[in-house]
Amino acid sequence: MTSGPPATPGASAPATSTPGAPPGDAAAPDASTPDASGATVPARSAARPRRLRRWLSSAWFLIPALVLFALFVLLPIAIAGYAAFFRWGGFGPPSEFVGLDNFTRMAGDPIFRGDLWRGLVLVLLSLVLQLPLAVGTAVLLNGRMRGRAVYRMVFFAPYVLSEVVTGVLFGMIFLPGGGLADHLVEDLPLLGGLAGRWFSDPSTAMPTLFLVMTWKYFGFHMMLYLAGLQSIPGEVLEAASIDGAGAWRRFRHIVLPLLGPTLRISVFLSVIGSIQLFDLVWVITAGGPSHSTETMSITMFQYGFKRYQVGYASAISVAMFAISLVFSLLYQRYVLHRDLRGAVTAPGAPR
């Protein structure tokens, strides 16, 4: 009697077909893992502790940041929104409820309406003068020129200075009678009349303030545009040049469209910064003379910390928050929607 060949050590037994399955198909093994007692546990159940550990690890790093954000951002917003409905001097809990009286007073306040107008003027001046100047300088410094690294550093250096240092510096430069600006223009035929009037005359205070703002923030926007220009492929500009496009046509039809996302972010930051402008103005003029350089932030500070009308100051802060929020939402919806949609689109989804 002849027996079959002996089984090879380590060889696996032939797979058996599952009843009802097509011939040749092996039964699929059950996805399970043994636990500590030797019993089998489904793999899905075994993965739950791993997901829980990952979630706890992420929460461990997120909770401190969320707590700080709640304490220093969300809680002050809630307190300001609550205090805006009271006539409150800032001492003790608010008790004299006045409803919408603070907002009604704010709507009829000529100083606050002037703040809105001056904020709009600063926004328009920034968009019309400051940002185009930054774009032109960035285009020049993006080309081949000797010492361009030094020029970039010189233009960006003012942004590194704090607003307080900048305010003190220009307060000394425009000091009536003895400032550097007066000595530079006193003998000039067209500008000699500005000597001593820079920040002391309501008709010249706002243009002088915008000049300081441009010196301070121009370099920041220039660096943004430089980063955007350096992301434009050189082959595209070279191909356009070969096709006969001049410098202006390359800038108009290639550089500006590809620089669009950077331009839109720069405009957004410029507008929000103009709405919330405070420290630079406070150090130089404190809103004077005759409220000619006063902004919403200055008015809020004056009423809250100088006149102790915290309820009214809270209403102004709520108005500032609402203006910034509405502008941000509308700008995101109608201007940044293409950039944001491209950033958050899931892989493989149609754009």
Side-chain angles (χ1 to χ4, degrees):
M1 185 175 180
T2 306
S3 59
T8 306
S12 59
T16 58
S17 299
T18 304
D25 287 353
D30 185 17
S32 60
T33 56
D35 62 2
S37 62
T40 59
V41 179
R44 183 178 302 176
S45 300
R48 290 174 183 171
R50 290 196 296 270
R51 289 197 298 268
L52 180 61
R53 286 194 297 269
R54 287 196 296 266
W55 187 88
L56 291 176
S57 177
S58 301
W60 178 257
F61 292 100
L62 285 175
I63 287 175
L66 293 177
V67 170
L68 292 176
F69 181 77
L71 286 177
F72 295 104
V73 177
L74 298 181
L75 183 60
I77 292 175
I79 293 175
Y82 177 75
F85 296 96
F86 291 83
R87 182 176 289 112
W88 183 40
F91 300 97
S95 57
E96 187 179 352
F97 182 78
V98 294
L100 299 176
D101 285 357
N102 286 325
F103 295 96
T104 304
R105 174 187 172 187
M106 181 179 61
D109 189 351
I111 296 178
F112 181 77
R113 293 202 302 266
D115 295 342
L116 293 176
W117 169 250
R118 286 183 287 272
L120 179 61
V121 169
L122 288 177
V123 168
L124 293 178
L125 288 175
S126 298
L127 298 181
V128 174
L129 297 178
Q130 186 183 99
L131 299 189
L133 180 63
V135 171
T137 308
V139 171
L140 290 177
L141 295 182
N142 191 52
R144 296 180 180 179
M145 61 181 303
R146 179 175 299 179
R148 64 178 182 177
V150 177
Y151 291 122
R152 293 176 182 177
M153 181 188 67
V154 169
F155 288 133
F156 184 70
Y159 182 72
V160 179
L161 297 176
S162 70
E163 280 75 5
V164 174
V165 173
T166 303
V168 173
L169 174 63
F170 279 93
M172 298 171 62
I173 291 176
F174 292 110
L175 185 67
L180 177 62
D182 285 355
H183 292 296
L184 291 177
V185 303
E186 60 184 358
D187 295 329
L188 297 179
L190 297 179
L191 301 178
L194 292 175
R197 298 175 50 204
W198 303 101
F199 285 118
S200 59
D201 190 334
S203 63
T204 59
M206 182 58 77
T208 307
L209 176 63
F210 178 73
L211 179 65
V212 177
M213 289 175 55
T214 302
W215 182 87
K216 177 73 174 68
Y217 300 110
F218 157 81
F220 170 75
H221 295 282
M222 183 201 70
M223 293 302 292
L224 285 181
Y225 299 142
L226 270 175
L229 289 171
Q230 291 175 1
S231 66
I232 298 176
E235 295 82 1
V236 178
L237 297 174
E238 185 178 355
S241 179
I242 294 175
D243 289 341
W248 169 248
R249 294 185 62 188
R250 292 198 302 269
F251 176 77
R252 171 64 181 85
H253 297 286
I254 297 177
V255 174
L256 271 184
L258 294 179
L259 199 61
T262 306
L263 286 168
R264 289 186 281 271
I265 291 296
S266 177
V267 169
F268 176 79
L269 295 176
S270 180
V271 172
I272 293 297
S274 299
I275 293 174
Q276 301 176 349
L277 185 65
F278 171 75
D279 37 12
L280 186 64
V281 182
W282 179 257
V283 174
I284 298 178
T285 66
S290 302
H291 307 288
S292 60
T293 59
E294 195 161 320
T295 62
M296 286 186 287
S297 299
I298 298 291
T299 304
M300 178 189 66
F301 184 85
Q302 293 277 14
Y303 278 104
F305 295 95
K306 295 292 185 178
R307 306 181 186 182
Y308 298 103
Q309 299 180 22
V310 180
Y312 183 58
S314 299
I316 296 175
S317 69
V318 170
M320 288 180 56
F321 175 76
I323 292 172
S324 301
L325 180 63
V326 170
F327 169 77
S328 300
L329 294 177
L330 293 178
Y331 195 83
Q332 176 179 332
R333 174 66 180 85
Y334 294 103
V335 180
L336 294 178
H337 65 283
R338 289 185 301 172
D339 304 329
L340 296 177
R341 185 174 63 230
V344 300
T345 300
R351 296 190 179 184

